Amino acid sequence: DAGVTQSPTHLIKTRGQQVTLRCSPKSGHDTVSWYQQALGQGPQFIFQYYEEEERQRGNFPDRFSGHQFPNYSSELNVNALLLGDSALYLCASSLRRTGTYNSPLHFGNGTRLTVT
Amino acid sequence: GENVEQHPSTLSVQEGDSAVIKCTYSDSASNYFPWYKQELGKRPQLIIDIRSNVGEKKDQRIAVTLNKTAKHFSLHITETQPEDSAVYFCAARPFKGGSQGNLIFGKGTKLSVKP
């Protein structure tokens, strides 16, 4: 039973560029959430996707966008990269269907993004 | 919105001692409180969680307590071992409009267990 997988593991980009990060949820999960974890901090919620729609969004600018595909996998896109976007980007999956309220989040290993 | 405060930021204990990490939350509508362990360079892993209709939950050497009135919850690790060394995060999930909200995390506690 595969857990949450993310790609790539590491990425180096230049200011102003665009980046796409990918996530496959744990088998049986239908909801994907993205978090940004700066060094020495707790994860911060970016947004959540369910049924291919953005359902919730944290306090992040429109430069951060995403997508969920019919197979539940997801992408996180960040445009016009800033130095401050350097962080570990974590994908987490859960099960949202009725009767599974408060399904635990399972995290992937993350993508380490460095913006120079 | 929800805010989660976590203390202490660092904790050093001798092997075999107990460790306690405390968190407070601000949104009384929060009803789910997980704890995650993150080793260096690895993913956060869920170690225990508690729902608001329960006051305490135990799993071997780990226990979590919840005080809804005071809006705080704590992680207790007994008989600590060097492999317990990691960063521990508490989190709270508010209930909004009939659906689960996102997790709000504390800033983490770096636990060091000295042999």
Side-chain angles (χ1 to χ4, degrees):
Chain A
D1 182 16
V4 180
T5 58
Q6 291 186 243
S7 63
T9 56
H10 295 84
L11 206 49
I12 300 175
K13 289 286 188 178
T14 304
R15 273 180 301 175
Q17 285 187 317
Q18 178 264 344
V19 67
T20 297
L21 311 181
R22 296 176 176 81
C23 171
S24 292
K26 179 179 167 67
S27 178
H29 284 183
D30 57 8
T31 301
V32 172
S33 302
W34 286 92
Y35 286 79
Q36 180 194 67
Q37 187 177 23
L39 205 60
Q41 300 293 317
Q44 281 200 299
F45 176 72
I46 303 174
F47 42 53
Q48 181 186 81
Y49 277 84
Y50 172 67
E51 292 185 331
E52 302 178 51
E53 289 187 16
E54 183 182 296
R55 299 290 177 169
Q56 297 175 41
R57 189 178 184 92
N59 191 25
F60 280 80
D62 291 346
R63 297 186 298 108
F64 290 76
S65 63
H67 190 77
Q68 186 180 35
F69 300 94
N71 67 352
Y72 308 119
S73 67
S74 176
E75 288 182 350
L76 163 65
N77 300 292
V78 186
N79 294 323
L81 285 167
L82 303 174
L83 295 179
D85 294 332
S86 295
L88 179 67
Y89 288 85
L90 294 163
C91 171
S93 72
S94 57
L95 183 61
R96 184 174 169 141
R97 287 197 300 270
T98 303
T100 58
Y101 184 77
N102 276 330
S103 164
L105 282 189
H106 293 259
F107 284 90
N109 284 326
T111 294
R112 173 72 62 187
L113 173 64
T114 302
V115 182
T116 61
Chain B
E2 176 64 283
N3 182 49
V4 176
E5 299 282 343
Q6 183 171 348
H7 300 280
S9 56
T10 59
L11 180 59
S12 182
V13 300
Q14 287 295 132
E15 182 177 359
D17 287 350
S18 295
V20 180
I21 302 171
K22 299 182 178 182
C23 289
T24 59
Y25 61 99
S26 60
D27 189 342
S28 57
S30 290
N31 61 359
Y32 174 65
F33 308 91
W35 287 88
Y36 285 84
K37 174 184 180 183
Q38 188 175 29
E39 297 176 68
L40 193 63
K42 295 190 177 180
R43 71 180 76 189
Q45 288 195 299
L46 179 69
I47 56 172
I48 195 166
D49 57 12
I50 191 167
R51 287 156 176 76
S52 58
N53 59 347
V54 175
E56 182 176 0
K57 183 176 178 181
K58 290 185 73 173
D59 182 3
Q60 300 182 349
R61 297 187 296 109
I62 293 173
V64 56
T65 59
L66 171 65
N67 183 326
K68 284 195 301 182
T69 303
K71 289 190 282 187
H72 67 71
F73 55 114
S74 301
L75 178 71
H76 304 252
I77 305 175
T78 59
E79 301 172 24
T80 53
Q81 301 166 2
E83 51 265 40
D84 293 330
S85 296
V87 178
Y88 290 81
F89 292 98
C90 64
R93 175 182 275 162
F95 181 79
K96 294 181 178 180
S99 65
Q100 53 181 277
N102 53 281
L103 284 181
I104 307 297
F105 284 83
K107 292 189 174 182
T109 296
K110 184 177 181 180
L111 173 64
S112 300
V113 180
K114 298 181 179 179

